[in-house]
Every structure is written in C-alpha cells, then in structure tokens.
Amino acid sequence: MPEQTELIHSFKGIPFSTTVSTELLQALDTFEAREDDVVLVSYPKSGTHWLTEIMKNLYHCNNDNNATGQVTLTSALEFGDLSKFDELRNLPSKRLIPTHLSHDMIPVQFKTKKCKMIYVIRNPKDTAVSMFHYYQQNPLLPKIEKWSTFLDMFLKGEVVYGSWIDHVQSWEKNQNDENTLFLYYESMKKDLPKYVKEISSFLNISVSEDQINEIVKKSSFSEMKEKAQKEKVDTKHTVCALTSDKKLIFRKGAVGDWKNHFTSKQNAQFEALFKDKINSSELARQVEYE
C-alpha cells in the first residue's frame, strides 16, 4: 500500500506518522525537562484534547497574577523534527506538554526531575472506532476504507503508536508513582466535577466550587467542538502529534459508540485477542465500555 509507505514509518517496531521524525525520536532523552513541567499522556484518540482544555481552564481560573496561573500549552512533544526541542526550550514555564508516547519512550528527565504526569485511558473499543474515523479524515494518515481492515490492524498493533494494551502496560509500571495520576475517560464523562477536583488536588491548585462548575461548562464536548470550528488552524495550538487541524479532532466524544461498529463476530475476535492481556493489567481491567 503506497499510502502506508509514504505516511507511516517504524521506530523500534512501532508505527509512527511521518509528522513525527526519526531524528526527534532518537533524541528524546536529550530533551531538557523542567521540574514544573506537567506532561499529559494518552494513547491516540483517548481524550487528550478534552483533558488539555480542562487543564487550561483549571489554570486560567486560578490566574490572579500569580505563578500558579501562568501556563503555556505546547504542541505535542513528538510533533515535528528536532527544532521542536528548541521551540519548547524558548517557552516560559509552566509548560503543559502533551504526548502519545509510551512510558519507555518518555524523555528520561521527566522521570528524574519528578515531573507531574497525567495519563488518561479510554476503553479500547471506542478508541479503535475513533481512530478508524480519524484515519479516514486525516490526510496525514493512510486512508483505510473498511472498518474490518482497520480493526485487524488495531488488534495487531499496526496502527500509529502500536498496541493499545502495550501502551497501557508500559505506563502501568508507574502506577504507584505519586507524581503520576491515572484517569479514565468514561469515569470523567460520568462525573467531571469530581475529577476536576482530583486533578486540581494533584497539581496543588486551589479552586472553588463555582470555578469547578465553570471549568466543567467550558470543557463540554459541544462547546469545545464549536470553538474548534471557529478557530483558524494553528500548529502552535494543536496538541495532536498527527495533525495541526483542530477540525479533525472532534467527532462524537461518546462512550459506547463501538456498539454501532463492532459485529458480534468482531467483538468475539476482540475478546479472544485482548481479554487475557486486559485481565492481567490492573489499569486495563478498570476500563468501562458503556
């Protein structure tokens, strides 16, 4: 498939979009982290933009001319070439840095400097469906016409960033680290105020009930989608390593949409391949599917 060859390359056995350069991936451990960096991590199509919007609103509501409220949301750490490191070096603190990298590939200084990291997990069935539509709409990714073809690729870890379960398990090593917060997309959908409080506590940000309610309102999927439709494309303000077009980011943001795509046979195929691995992972076992 020529499109696959042109738009995808492999690094350490993991597929990456060519928007992520090999040179940058090779140089990740030379990245200079700061102790006050906050790293926002997810497998693709797991709620990264939603989380960053929550984070921005959380910091901004606390922006009373104090240091806590000053924050710079960067584009994805791995989006681009080596010049990205110079770009990030010139940004003021505090930096919110999104990434889809596995724990094994995260720059070592994020770990040694004990940076705060937030990892958001979405159920893999909805993730697969969302990625399928993203592949179809994003000109920087190969266009996979058939859902069944894409699902096979997803289950084999042949999509960008590789296997969902491998990604989750790479971060599971960090689950007892007090500097890492794990969040579940589905749980956040059910009770966002609770998780805004949890995030603010993790980041030592003081917010009132009124501010929490305002953050929840501003971070609704409909409001974010409407805002994205009005904005001009700006590579400085996308948090995706796969596109600079915000209009491609938002589709449904729903929980349980997988039921509209998976046949009973495909669901059985998924369970056969993923069930044992998910059951062996404490993080993956807690995922909700509806």
Side-chain angles (χ1 to χ4, degrees):
M1 186 186 296
E3 287 180 326
Q4 187 83 22
T5 305
E6 292 167 10
L7 299 173
I8 301 292
H9 67 102
S10 179
F11 182 78
K12 295 185 177 179
I14 299 173
F16 285 92
S17 161
T18 48
T19 57
V20 181
S21 77
T22 300
E23 292 74 23
L24 184 149
L25 292 172
Q26 289 172 333
L28 282 168
D29 278 341
T30 68
F31 179 74
E32 298 174 13
R34 301 172 190 164
E35 289 181 357
D36 64 350
D37 283 338
V38 177
V39 189
L40 310 177
V41 193
S42 69
Y43 187 81
K45 307 309 294 176
S46 296
T48 315
H49 282 78
W50 187 36
L51 179 61
T52 55
E53 192 69 17
I54 293 167
M55 297 287 290
K56 277 195 306 177
N57 291 327
L58 184 58
Y59 277 106
H60 289 167
C61 82
N62 203 46
N63 188 9
D64 299 322
N65 297 317
N66 61 51
T68 310
Q70 305 299 320
V71 66
T72 303
L73 174 62
T74 78
S75 54
L77 173 65
E78 66 271 26
F79 184 68
D81 54 30
L82 270 177
S83 65
K84 165 55 69 69
F85 291 177
D86 292 327
E87 175 192 322
L88 295 187
R89 191 180 299 118
N90 292 327
L91 292 176
S93 295
K94 170 185 308 254
R95 301 181 299 187
L96 295 184
I97 305 176
T99 182
H100 293 312
L101 293 172
S102 66
H103 188 264
D104 303 331
M105 295 185 71
I106 285 287
V108 68
Q109 283 197 20
F110 284 141
K111 304 166 190 175
T112 58
K113 293 192 175 181
K114 301 187 183 303
C115 298
K116 297 278 190 180
M117 295 189 266
I118 301 178
Y119 184 76
V120 60
I121 306 169
R122 185 183 190 186
N123 86 67
K125 294 179 184 179
D126 279 338
T127 300
V129 168
S130 188
M131 284 186 78
F132 168 61
H133 289 284
Y134 198 45
Y135 262 68
Q136 287 191 313
Q137 296 164 3
N138 189 343
L140 299 179
L141 291 172
K143 190 167 186 178
I144 313 298
E145 296 288 352
K146 291 178 64 179
W147 158 241
S148 57
T149 302
F150 183 84
L151 181 59
D152 283 339
M153 292 173 62
F154 183 86
L155 293 173
K156 292 174 183 175
E158 294 175 354
V159 295
V160 285
Y161 292 91
S163 161
W164 176 90
I165 189 64
D166 288 351
H167 199 281
V168 170
Q169 288 180 323
S170 78
W171 279 91
E172 191 153 20
K173 303 169 191 172
N174 234 34
Q175 70 178 124
N176 295 319
D177 183 350
E178 63 181 12
N179 293 311
T180 305
L181 176 65
F182 291 93
L183 299 171
Y184 288 89
Y185 182 90
E186 293 77 21
S187 298
M188 291 174 68
K189 281 279 184 180
K190 287 181 179 178
D191 191 355
L192 187 53
K194 172 185 173 181
Y195 290 97
V196 171
K197 287 180 187 177
E198 187 171 344
I199 295 167
S200 64
S201 176
F202 176 69
L203 297 172
N204 300 313
I205 299 173
S206 177
V207 286
S208 67
E209 289 294 329
D210 285 345
Q211 288 173 322
I212 288 171
N213 292 334
E214 186 64 21
I215 291 165
V216 169
K217 181 183 175 184
K218 287 182 177 178
S219 306
S220 72
F221 186 84
S222 57
E223 188 154 326
M224 287 171 59
K225 186 170 185 177
E226 184 180 346
K227 184 179 174 185
Q229 296 297 330
K230 293 176 181 176
E231 289 178 349
K232 293 181 179 178
V233 173
D234 185 344
T235 57
K236 301 290 184 186
H237 293 90
T238 183
V239 299
C240 181
L242 302 170
T243 184
S244 60
D245 189 346
K246 282 189 178 180
K247 293 176 180 146
L248 295 177
I249 301 299
F250 304 101
R251 193 178 68 89
K252 282 189 176 181
V255 176
D257 189 41
W258 64 270
K259 294 177 183 177
N260 298 318
H261 294 74
F262 278 69
T263 63
S264 56
K265 184 178 179 181
Q266 288 170 343
N267 194 45
Q269 178 190 13
F270 178 95
E271 296 290 342
L273 285 174
F274 267 42
K275 189 174 182 180
D276 287 344
K277 286 186 175 181
I278 286 175
N279 285 340
S280 67
S281 163
E282 186 179 336
L283 289 181
R285 279 201 311 272
Q286 296 180 51
V287 166
E288 299 176 32
Y289 290 87
E290 53 186 66

